[in-house]
Coordinates of all heavy atoms in Angstrom, one line a residue:
S1 N 11.6 47.9 -2.1 CA 11.1 48.4 -0.8 C 11.0 47.2 0.2 O 10.9 47.5 1.4 CB 9.8 49.1 -1.0 OG 8.8 48.3 -1.4
R2 N 10.9 46.0 -0.3 CA 10.7 44.9 0.7 C 12.1 44.6 1.4 O 12.1 43.9 2.4 CB 10.2 43.6 0.0 CG 11.1 43.0 -1.0 CD 10.5 41.8 -1.6 NE 11.6 40.9 -2.0 CZ 11.7 40.6 -3.3 NH1 10.9 40.9 -4.2 NH2 12.8 39.8 -3.7
W3 N 13.2 45.2 0.9 CA 14.4 45.0 1.5 C 14.6 46.0 2.7 O 15.4 45.7 3.6 CB 15.6 45.3 0.5 CG 15.7 44.2 -0.5 CD1 14.7 43.5 -1.2 CD2 17.0 43.7 -1.0 NE1 15.3 42.6 -2.1 CE2 16.7 42.7 -2.0 CE3 18.3 44.0 -0.7 CZ2 17.7 42.0 -2.7 CZ3 19.3 43.3 -1.4 CH2 18.9 42.4 -2.4
L4 N 14.0 47.1 2.6 CA 14.3 48.2 3.6 C 13.4 48.2 4.8 O 12.3 47.7 4.8 CB 14.0 49.6 2.9 CG 14.8 49.9 1.7 CD1 14.4 51.2 1.1 CD2 16.3 49.8 2.0
E5 N 14.0 48.6 5.9 CA 13.2 48.8 7.2 C 12.0 49.7 6.9 O 12.2 50.7 6.2 CB 14.1 49.4 8.3 CG 15.1 48.4 8.9 CD 14.4 47.4 9.8 OE1 13.3 47.6 10.3 OE2 15.0 46.3 10.0
P6 N 10.8 49.4 7.5 CA 9.7 50.3 7.3 C 9.9 51.7 7.6 O 9.5 52.6 7.0 CB 8.6 49.7 8.2 CG 9.0 48.2 8.3 CD 10.5 48.2 8.3
G7 N 10.7 52.0 8.7 CA 11.0 53.4 9.1 C 11.7 54.1 8.0 O 11.6 55.4 7.9
V8 N 12.6 53.5 7.3 CA 13.3 54.1 6.2 C 12.4 54.6 5.1 O 12.4 55.7 4.6 CB 14.4 53.2 5.6 CG1 15.1 53.8 4.4 CG2 15.4 52.9 6.7
L9 N 11.4 53.7 4.8 CA 10.4 54.1 3.7 C 9.6 55.3 4.2 O 9.3 56.2 3.4 CB 9.5 52.9 3.4 CG 10.3 51.7 2.7 CD1 9.4 50.5 2.6 CD2 10.9 52.1 1.4
E10 N 9.2 55.2 5.5 CA 8.5 56.4 6.1 C 9.3 57.7 6.0 O 8.8 58.7 5.7 CB 8.1 56.0 7.5 CG 7.3 57.0 8.2 CD 6.9 56.6 9.6 OE1 6.7 55.4 9.9 OE2 6.9 57.5 10.5
A11 N 10.5 57.6 6.4 CA 11.4 58.8 6.4 C 11.6 59.3 5.0 O 11.8 60.6 4.8 CB 12.8 58.4 7.0
L12 N 11.6 58.5 4.0 CA 11.8 58.9 2.6 C 10.5 59.3 1.9 O 10.6 59.7 0.7 CB 12.5 57.9 1.8 CG 14.0 57.5 2.3 CD1 14.5 56.4 1.5 CD2 14.9 58.8 2.2
A13 N 9.3 59.1 2.4 CA 8.1 59.2 1.7 C 7.9 60.6 1.1 O 7.6 60.7 -0.1 CB 6.9 58.9 2.7
E14 N 8.1 61.7 1.8 CA 7.9 63.0 1.3 C 9.0 63.3 0.2 O 8.7 63.9 -0.8 CB 7.9 64.1 2.4 CG 6.7 64.1 3.2 CD 5.4 64.3 2.4 OE1 5.4 65.2 1.6 OE2 4.4 63.6 2.7
Y15 N 10.2 62.9 0.5 CA 11.3 63.1 -0.4 C 11.0 62.4 -1.8 O 11.2 63.0 -2.8 CB 12.6 62.6 0.2 CG 13.8 62.5 -0.7 CD1 14.5 63.7 -1.0 CD2 14.2 61.3 -1.3 CE1 15.6 63.6 -1.9 CE2 15.3 61.3 -2.2 CZ 16.0 62.5 -2.5 OH 17.0 62.4 -3.3
R16 N 10.5 61.2 -1.7 CA 10.3 60.4 -2.9 C 9.1 61.0 -3.7 O 9.1 61.1 -4.9 CB 10.0 59.0 -2.6 CG 11.2 58.2 -2.0 CD 10.9 56.9 -1.6 NE 10.8 56.0 -2.7 CZ 10.3 54.8 -2.7 NH1 9.9 54.3 -1.6 NH2 10.3 54.0 -3.8
K17 N 8.1 61.5 -3.0 CA 6.9 62.1 -3.7 C 7.3 63.4 -4.3 O 6.7 63.8 -5.4 CB 5.8 62.4 -2.6 CG 5.0 61.2 -2.3 CD 3.7 61.6 -1.5 CE 4.0 61.4 -0.1 NZ 2.8 61.7 0.8
S18 N 8.2 64.2 -3.8 CA 8.6 65.5 -4.3 C 9.2 65.5 -5.6 O 9.1 66.4 -6.4 CB 9.5 66.2 -3.3 OG 10.8 65.7 -3.4
G19 N 10.0 64.4 -5.9 CA 10.8 64.3 -7.2 C 12.0 65.3 -7.2 O 12.6 65.4 -8.2
K20 N 12.3 65.9 -6.0 CA 13.4 66.8 -5.9 C 14.6 66.0 -5.5 O 14.8 65.8 -4.3 CB 13.1 67.9 -5.0 CG 12.0 68.8 -5.4 CD 11.7 69.9 -4.4 CE 10.5 70.7 -4.8 NZ 10.1 71.7 -3.8
A21 N 15.5 65.6 -6.4 CA 16.5 64.7 -6.2 C 17.6 65.2 -5.2 O 18.2 64.4 -4.6 CB 17.2 64.4 -7.5
R22 N 17.7 66.5 -5.0 CA 18.7 67.0 -4.2 C 18.2 67.7 -2.9 O 19.0 68.3 -2.2 CB 19.7 67.9 -4.9 CG 20.3 67.2 -6.1 CD 21.7 67.7 -6.3 NE 22.3 67.2 -7.5 CZ 23.1 66.0 -7.5 NH1 23.2 65.4 -6.4 NH2 23.6 65.6 -8.6
D23 N 16.9 67.7 -2.7 CA 16.3 68.4 -1.5 C 16.2 67.4 -0.3 O 15.1 66.9 0.0 CB 15.0 69.0 -1.9 CG 14.5 69.9 -0.8 OD1 15.1 70.0 0.3 OD2 13.4 70.5 -1.0
F24 N 17.3 67.2 0.3 CA 17.3 66.2 1.4 C 16.7 66.7 2.7 O 16.5 66.0 3.6 CB 18.8 65.8 1.7 CG 19.4 65.1 0.6 CD1 20.5 65.7 -0.1 CD2 19.0 63.9 0.1 CE1 21.1 65.1 -1.2 CE2 19.6 63.3 -1.0 CZ 20.6 63.9 -1.7
S25 N 16.3 68.0 2.7 CA 15.5 68.5 3.8 C 14.2 67.8 4.0 O 13.5 67.9 5.0 CB 15.3 70.0 3.7 OG 14.5 70.3 2.6
L26 N 13.7 67.2 2.9 CA 12.4 66.5 2.9 C 12.5 65.1 3.6 O 11.5 64.4 3.8 CB 11.9 66.3 1.5 CG 11.6 67.6 0.8 CD1 11.2 67.4 -0.7 CD2 10.4 68.4 1.5
V27 N 13.7 64.6 3.9 CA 13.9 63.3 4.6 C 13.6 63.5 6.1 O 14.2 64.4 6.7 CB 15.3 62.8 4.4 CG1 15.5 61.5 5.2 CG2 15.6 62.6 2.9
D28 N 12.7 62.8 6.6 CA 12.3 62.9 8.0 C 13.2 62.0 8.8 O 13.0 60.8 9.1 CB 10.8 62.4 8.2 CG 10.3 62.5 9.6 OD1 11.0 63.1 10.4 OD2 9.2 62.0 9.9
I29 N 14.3 62.6 9.3 CA 15.4 61.9 10.0 C 14.8 61.2 11.3 O 15.2 60.2 11.7 CB 16.5 62.9 10.4 CG1 17.1 63.5 9.2 CG2 17.5 62.2 11.3 CD1 17.8 62.5 8.3
D30 N 13.8 61.9 11.9 CA 13.2 61.3 13.2 C 12.5 60.0 12.9 O 12.3 59.3 13.9 CB 12.3 62.3 13.8 CG 13.0 63.6 14.3 OD1 14.2 63.4 14.7 OD2 12.4 64.7 14.2
S31 N 12.1 59.7 11.7 CA 11.5 58.4 11.4 C 12.4 57.3 11.2 O 12.0 56.1 11.1 CB 10.6 58.6 10.2 OG 9.5 59.5 10.4
L32 N 13.7 57.6 11.0 CA 14.7 56.5 10.8 C 14.8 55.6 12.0 O 14.9 56.2 13.1 CB 16.0 57.1 10.3 CG 16.1 57.8 9.0 CD1 17.4 58.5 8.8 CD2 15.8 56.8 7.9
P33 N 14.9 54.3 11.8 CA 15.0 53.4 13.0 C 16.4 53.4 13.6 O 17.4 53.3 13.0 CB 14.7 52.1 12.4 CG 14.8 52.2 10.9 CD 14.8 53.6 10.6
D34 N 16.4 53.6 15.0 CA 17.6 53.5 15.8 C 18.7 54.4 15.3 O 19.9 54.0 15.1 CB 18.1 52.1 15.9 CG 17.0 51.2 16.5 OD1 16.4 51.6 17.4 OD2 16.9 50.0 16.1
V35 N 18.4 55.7 15.0 CA 19.4 56.6 14.6 C 20.4 56.9 15.7 O 20.1 57.1 16.8 CB 18.8 58.0 14.1 CG1 19.9 59.0 13.8 CG2 17.9 57.8 12.9
R36 N 21.7 56.8 15.4 CA 22.8 57.2 16.3 C 23.8 58.1 15.6 O 24.1 58.0 14.5 CB 23.6 55.9 16.7 CG 22.8 54.9 17.5 CD 23.7 53.8 18.1 NE 24.8 53.4 17.2 CZ 24.9 52.2 16.7 NH1 24.1 51.3 17.0 NH2 26.0 51.9 15.9
V37 N 24.2 59.1 16.4 CA 25.3 60.0 15.9 C 26.6 59.3 16.3 O 26.9 59.1 17.4 CB 25.2 61.4 16.5 CG1 26.3 62.3 16.1 CG2 23.8 62.0 16.2
E38 N 27.4 58.9 15.3 CA 28.6 58.2 15.5 C 29.8 59.2 15.6 O 30.7 58.9 16.3 CB 28.9 57.3 14.3 CG 27.8 56.3 14.0 CD 27.7 55.2 15.1 OE1 28.5 55.1 16.0 OE2 26.7 54.5 15.1
A39 N 29.7 60.3 14.9 CA 30.7 61.4 15.0 C 30.0 62.6 14.4 O 28.9 62.5 13.8 CB 31.9 61.0 14.1
P40 N 30.6 63.8 14.6 CA 30.0 65.0 14.0 C 29.7 64.8 12.5 O 30.6 64.5 11.7 CB 31.0 66.1 14.3 CG 31.7 65.6 15.5 CD 31.8 64.1 15.3
G41 N 28.5 64.9 12.1 CA 28.1 64.8 10.7 C 27.9 63.4 10.2 O 27.7 63.1 9.0
V42 N 28.1 62.4 11.1 CA 28.0 61.0 10.7 C 26.9 60.3 11.6 O 27.0 60.3 12.8 CB 29.3 60.2 10.9 CG1 29.2 58.8 10.5 CG2 30.4 60.9 10.1
V43 N 25.9 59.8 10.9 CA 24.8 59.0 11.6 C 24.8 57.6 11.1 O 25.1 57.3 9.9 CB 23.4 59.7 11.5 CG1 23.5 61.1 12.1 CG2 23.0 59.8 10.0
S44 N 24.3 56.7 11.9 CA 24.0 55.3 11.5 C 22.6 55.0 11.9 O 22.0 55.6 12.8 CB 25.0 54.4 12.1 OG 24.8 54.3 13.5
F45 N 22.0 54.1 11.1 CA 20.6 53.7 11.4 C 20.4 52.3 10.7 O 21.1 51.9 9.8 CB 19.6 54.7 10.9 CG 19.7 55.1 9.4 CD1 19.0 54.4 8.5 CD2 20.6 56.1 9.0 CE1 19.1 54.7 7.1 CE2 20.7 56.4 7.7 CZ 20.0 55.7 6.7
K46 N 19.3 51.7 11.1 CA 19.0 50.4 10.4 C 18.4 50.7 9.0 O 17.4 51.5 8.9 CB 17.9 49.6 11.3 CG 18.5 49.1 12.6 CD 17.4 48.4 13.3 CE 18.0 47.8 14.6 NZ 17.0 47.1 15.4
L47 N 19.0 50.1 8.0 CA 18.5 50.3 6.6 C 17.8 49.1 6.1 O 16.7 49.2 5.6 CB 19.7 50.7 5.8 CG 19.4 50.9 4.3 CD1 18.5 52.1 4.1 CD2 20.7 51.0 3.5
L48 N 18.5 48.0 6.2 CA 18.0 46.7 5.6 C 17.3 45.9 6.7 O 17.7 45.8 7.8 CB 19.1 45.9 5.0 CG 19.8 46.6 3.9 CD1 21.0 45.7 3.4 CD2 18.9 46.9 2.7
R49 N 16.2 45.2 6.3 CA 15.5 44.3 7.2 C 16.5 43.1 7.6 O 17.3 42.7 6.8 CB 14.3 43.7 6.5 CG 13.2 44.7 6.2 CD 12.1 44.1 5.5 NE 11.1 45.1 5.1 CZ 9.9 45.1 5.6 NH1 9.4 44.2 6.4 NH2 9.0 46.1 5.2
P50 N 16.3 42.6 8.8 CA 17.2 41.5 9.3 C 17.3 40.3 8.3 O 18.4 39.8 8.1 CB 16.7 41.2 10.6 CG 15.9 42.4 11.1 CD 15.4 43.0 9.8
E51 N 16.2 39.9 7.8 CA 16.2 38.7 6.9 C 17.0 39.0 5.6 O 17.7 38.1 5.1 CB 14.8 38.2 6.5 CG 13.9 39.2 5.8 CD 13.1 40.1 6.6 OE1 13.4 40.3 7.8 OE2 12.2 40.7 6.1
I52 N 17.0 40.2 5.1 CA 17.8 40.6 4.0 C 19.3 40.6 4.3 O 20.2 40.1 3.6 CB 17.4 42.0 3.4 CG1 15.9 41.9 2.9 CG2 18.3 42.4 2.3 CD1 15.6 40.9 1.9
C53 N 19.6 41.1 5.5 CA 21.0 41.1 6.0 C 21.5 39.6 6.1 O 22.6 39.3 5.7 CB 21.2 41.7 7.3 SG 20.9 43.5 7.3
R54 N 20.7 38.7 6.6 CA 21.1 37.3 6.7 C 21.3 36.7 5.4 O 22.3 36.0 5.1 CB 20.0 36.5 7.5 CG 20.1 36.7 9.0 CD 19.2 35.7 9.7 NE 17.7 35.9 9.4 CZ 17.0 36.7 10.0 NH1 17.5 37.5 10.9 NH2 15.7 36.9 9.7
K55 N 20.4 37.0 4.4 CA 20.6 36.5 3.0 C 21.9 37.0 2.4 O 22.5 36.2 1.7 CB 19.4 36.8 2.2 CG 18.1 36.0 2.6 CD 16.9 36.4 1.8 CE 15.7 35.6 2.2 NZ 14.5 35.9 1.3
L56 N 22.1 38.3 2.6 CA 23.4 38.8 2.0 C 24.6 38.2 2.6 O 25.5 37.8 1.8 CB 23.4 40.4 2.2 CG 22.5 41.2 1.3 CD1 22.4 42.6 1.7 CD2 22.9 41.1 -0.2
L57 N 24.6 38.0 3.9 CA 25.8 37.4 4.5 C 25.9 35.9 4.1 O 27.0 35.4 3.8 CB 25.7 37.5 6.1 CG 26.0 38.8 6.7 CD1 25.7 38.8 8.2 CD2 27.4 39.1 6.4
E58 N 24.8 35.2 4.0 CA 24.8 33.8 3.5 C 25.3 33.7 2.1 O 26.2 32.9 1.8 CB 23.4 33.3 3.6 CG 23.2 31.9 3.1 CD 21.8 31.4 3.2 OE1 21.1 31.7 4.1 OE2 21.3 30.8 2.2
E59 N 25.0 34.6 1.2 CA 25.4 34.7 -0.1 C 26.9 35.0 -0.2 O 27.7 34.4 -0.9 CB 24.7 35.6 -1.0 CG 25.0 35.6 -2.5 CD 24.7 34.2 -3.1 OE1 23.8 33.5 -2.7 OE2 25.5 33.9 -4.0
A60 N 27.4 35.9 0.7 CA 28.8 36.3 0.7 C 29.6 35.1 1.2 O 30.7 34.8 0.6 CB 29.0 37.5 1.6
R61 N 29.1 34.5 2.2 CA 29.9 33.3 2.7 C 29.9 32.2 1.7 O 31.0 31.5 1.5 CB 29.3 32.8 4.0 CG 29.6 33.7 5.2 CD 29.2 33.2 6.5 NE 29.4 34.2 7.5 CZ 28.4 34.8 8.2 NH1 27.2 34.5 8.0 NH2 28.7 35.7 9.1
H62 N 28.8 32.0 1.0 CA 28.8 30.9 0.0 C 29.8 31.2 -1.1 O 30.5 30.3 -1.6 CB 27.3 30.8 -0.6 CG 27.2 29.8 -1.7 ND1 27.3 30.1 -3.0 CD2 27.0 28.5 -1.6 CE1 27.1 29.0 -3.7 NE2 26.9 28.0 -2.9
F63 N 29.8 32.5 -1.5 CA 30.7 32.9 -2.6 C 32.2 32.6 -2.1 O 33.0 32.1 -2.9 CB 30.5 34.3 -3.0 CG 31.5 34.9 -4.0 CD1 31.3 34.6 -5.3 CD2 32.6 35.5 -3.6 CE1 32.2 35.0 -6.3 CE2 33.5 36.0 -4.5 CZ 33.4 35.7 -5.9
S64 N 32.5 33.1 -0.9 CA 33.9 33.1 -0.5 C 34.3 31.6 -0.1 O 35.5 31.3 -0.3 CB 34.1 34.0 0.7 OG 33.4 33.5 1.9
E65 N 33.4 30.8 0.3 CA 33.8 29.4 0.7 C 33.6 28.4 -0.4 O 34.3 27.4 -0.4 CB 33.0 29.0 1.9 CG 33.3 29.8 3.2 CD 32.3 29.6 4.3 OE1 31.5 28.7 4.2 OE2 32.5 30.4 5.3
E66 N 32.7 28.6 -1.3 CA 32.4 27.5 -2.3 C 32.6 27.8 -3.7 O 32.5 26.9 -4.6 CB 31.0 27.0 -2.0 CG 30.8 26.5 -0.6 CD 29.3 26.0 -0.4 OE1 28.7 25.7 -1.4 OE2 28.9 26.0 0.7
S67 N 32.8 29.1 -4.1 CA 32.9 29.4 -5.5 C 34.3 29.0 -6.1 O 34.3 28.8 -7.3 CB 32.7 30.9 -5.7 OG 33.8 31.7 -5.3
G68 N 35.3 29.0 -5.3 CA 36.6 28.7 -5.8 C 37.3 29.9 -6.5 O 38.4 29.9 -6.9
L69 N 36.6 31.1 -6.5 CA 37.1 32.3 -7.0 C 37.9 33.1 -5.9 O 37.6 32.9 -4.7 CB 36.0 33.2 -7.6 CG 35.2 32.6 -8.7 CD1 34.0 33.4 -9.0 CD2 36.1 32.5 -9.9
P70 N 38.9 33.8 -6.3 CA 39.7 34.6 -5.3 C 38.8 35.7 -4.7 O 37.9 36.3 -5.3 CB 40.8 35.2 -6.1 CG 40.3 35.2 -7.5 CD 39.4 34.1 -7.7
V71 N 39.0 35.8 -3.3 CA 38.2 36.8 -2.6 C 39.2 37.8 -1.9 O 40.1 37.4 -1.2 CB 37.3 36.2 -1.5 CG1 36.6 37.2 -0.7 CG2 36.3 35.2 -2.2
N72 N 39.0 39.1 -2.2 CA 39.8 40.1 -1.6 C 39.0 40.7 -0.5 O 37.9 41.1 -0.7 CB 40.2 41.2 -2.6 CG 41.1 40.6 -3.6 OD1 42.0 39.9 -3.4 ND2 40.9 41.0 -4.9
R73 N 39.6 40.9 0.7 CA 38.9 41.5 1.8 C 39.4 43.0 1.9 O 40.5 43.3 1.5 CB 39.4 40.9 3.2 CG 39.1 39.4 3.2 CD 37.6 39.1 3.4 NE 37.4 37.7 3.5 CZ 36.2 37.1 3.3 NH1 35.2 37.9 2.9 NH2 36.1 35.8 3.3
P74 N 38.5 43.9 2.3 CA 38.8 45.3 2.3 C 39.9 45.7 3.3 O 40.7 46.6 3.1 CB 37.5 46.0 2.6 CG 36.5 45.0 3.0 CD 37.1 43.7 2.6
N75 N 39.9 44.9 4.4 CA 41.0 45.1 5.4 C 41.0 43.9 6.4 O 40.0 43.1 6.4 CB 40.9 46.4 6.2 CG 39.5 46.5 6.9 OD1 39.2 45.6 7.7 ND2 38.8 47.5 6.7
S76 N 42.0 43.7 7.2 CA 42.1 42.6 8.1 C 41.0 42.5 9.2 O 40.8 41.5 9.8 CB 43.5 42.4 8.6 OG 43.7 43.6 9.4
M77 N 40.4 43.7 9.5 CA 39.4 43.7 10.5 C 38.0 43.4 10.0 O 37.1 43.3 10.8 CB 39.4 45.2 11.1 CG 40.7 45.6 11.7 SD 41.1 44.8 13.2 CE 39.9 45.5 14.3
N78 N 37.8 43.2 8.8 CA 36.5 43.0 8.2 C 36.4 41.6 7.7 O 36.7 41.2 6.6 CB 36.3 44.0 7.1 CG 34.9 44.0 6.6 OD1 34.2 43.0 6.7 ND2 34.5 45.2 6.1
R79 N 35.8 40.7 8.5 CA 35.7 39.3 8.1 C 34.6 39.0 7.1 O 34.6 38.0 6.4 CB 35.6 38.4 9.4 CG 34.2 38.6 10.0 CD 34.0 37.7 11.1 NE 32.5 38.0 11.4 CZ 31.9 37.7 12.5 NH1 32.6 37.1 13.5 NH2 30.7 38.0 12.7
D80 N 33.6 39.9 7.1 CA 32.5 39.6 6.2 C 32.5 40.4 4.9 O 31.8 40.2 4.0 CB 31.1 39.9 6.9 CG 30.8 38.9 8.0 OD1 31.1 37.7 7.8 OD2 30.4 39.4 9.1
G81 N 33.4 41.4 4.8 CA 33.4 42.3 3.6 C 34.2 41.6 2.4 O 35.0 40.7 2.6
M82 N 33.8 42.0 1.2 CA 34.5 41.5 0.0 C 34.6 42.6 -1.0 O 33.7 43.5 -1.0 CB 33.6 40.4 -0.6 CG 33.8 39.1 0.1 SD 33.0 37.8 -1.0 CE 31.6 37.5 0.0
I83 N 35.6 42.5 -1.8 CA 35.7 43.5 -2.9 C 35.6 42.7 -4.2 O 36.1 41.7 -4.4 CB 37.1 44.2 -2.8 CG1 37.2 45.0 -1.5 CG2 37.3 45.0 -4.0 CD1 38.6 45.6 -1.3

């Protein structure tokens, strides 16, 4: 939980307490931080705390630049992604 934005934990609180694995109606969408509708049925929001994002990117860059192992990119438009 220290990785997630506080609003995400708040939005999931009732869902997590219920123990109902498939009852997504218990997720409080309005509590999610910076929710945007990207397309019909597709939303985006802040999930991870900024410091966790920085650490993940730092680790990915370290792996791709210093490990000596081959790195496959998901596509040419994604400079930070790895498979």
Side-chain angles (χ1 to χ4, degrees):
S1 64
R2 67 177 203 242
W3 287 41
L4 301 178
E5 284 284 340
V8 172
L9 296 174
E10 183 181 323
L12 295 175
E14 289 301 315
Y15 172 77
R16 293 175 77 192
K17 279 192 259 182
S18 76
K20 297 178 182 176
R22 301 216 184 268
D23 189 357
F24 299 112
S25 68
L26 297 171
V27 177
D28 182 8
I29 300 296
D30 295 327
S31 295
L32 292 171
D34 299 322
V35 173
R36 290 190 327 241
V37 176
E38 304 292 350
V42 178
V43 296
S44 65
F45 56 91
K46 291 182 179 179
L47 176 66
L48 300 175
R49 293 176 185 245
E51 63 270 17
I52 297 302
C53 292
R54 281 192 296 277
K55 288 179 181 182
L56 286 171
L57 283 173
E58 181 182 314
E59 187 60 31
R61 286 190 184 110
H62 179 264
F63 177 82
S64 67
E65 294 169 5
E66 298 181 26
S67 72
L69 297 171
V71 176
N72 295 318
R73 304 284 181 200
N75 60 53
S76 62
M77 300 290 288
N78 190 330
R79 66 173 191 201
D80 292 320
M82 281 191 255
I83 298 176

